[in-house]
Amino acid sequence: MSTQNPKDEIDEYIKDLPFVALAYVRADGTPVQRTLGSFVRHESSVFFSTRSDAAKVREIERNPRVSLLFEAENQQLSAWKNVLLIGKALPDEQDVL
């Protein structure tokens, strides 16, 4: 078991990952996952960018509960790791074009 601070361990794990899987639920109850390649972790938040007219934006506005799955590629099964963050997605109004 690591003696490192869990937040630091998470930051270290995800800092070089090129993708994250975003999961949310459509209005009809269908679960959806989308791969995102544009994200950054800052303090206790994860920020990601997408087009303001993307379907996921409308769905997340309706139901902001989301999860983000970070998982490195080419891991050995015996040492498999991933990070799952669950929370609410909120728009960053300052950056909306």
Side-chain angles (χ1 to χ4, degrees), residues 14 20 37-43 45-49 68 70:
I14 71 173
V20 62
S38 177
F39 65 91
V40 64
R41 180 171 162 80
H42 179 70
E43 296 177 357
S45 297
V46 176
F47 295 88
F48 65 89
S49 63
L68 295 169
F70 298 88

Side-chain angles (χ1 to χ4, degrees), residues 19-89:
F19 304 106
V20 62
L22 166 70
Y24 59 94
V25 179
R26 290 183 178 153
D28 67 359
T30 304
V32 180
Q33 285 188 325
R34 294 285 183 256
T35 301
L36 304 175
S38 177
F39 65 91
V40 64
R41 180 171 162 80
H42 179 70
E43 296 177 357
S44 62
S45 297
V46 176
F47 295 88
F48 65 89
S49 63
T50 190
R51 293 186 344 262
S52 60
D53 63 344
K56 67 179 152 285
V57 172
R58 291 186 301 279
E59 298 293 354
I60 292 170
E61 285 174 342
R62 185 193 55 74
N63 179 356
R65 294 179 302 162
V66 300
S67 67
L68 295 169
L69 177 65
F70 298 88
E71 193 167 80
E73 296 178 341
N74 302 319
Q75 297 187 67
Q76 295 298 317
L77 189 55
S78 61
W80 200 272
K81 289 184 183 181
N82 61 46
V83 172
L84 177 65
L85 302 177
I86 300 170
K88 276 184 148 179

Side-chain angles (χ1 to χ4, degrees), residues 47 90-97:
F47 295 88
L90 304 171
D92 183 356
E93 301 292 337
Q94 297 176 22
D95 295 334
V96 174
L97 300 176

Side-chain angles (χ1 to χ4, degrees), residues 3-14:
T3 59
Q4 189 176 9
N5 176 317
K7 287 183 182 180
D8 292 342
E9 194 170 354
I10 289 169
D11 286 340
E12 183 66 27
Y13 182 77
I14 71 173

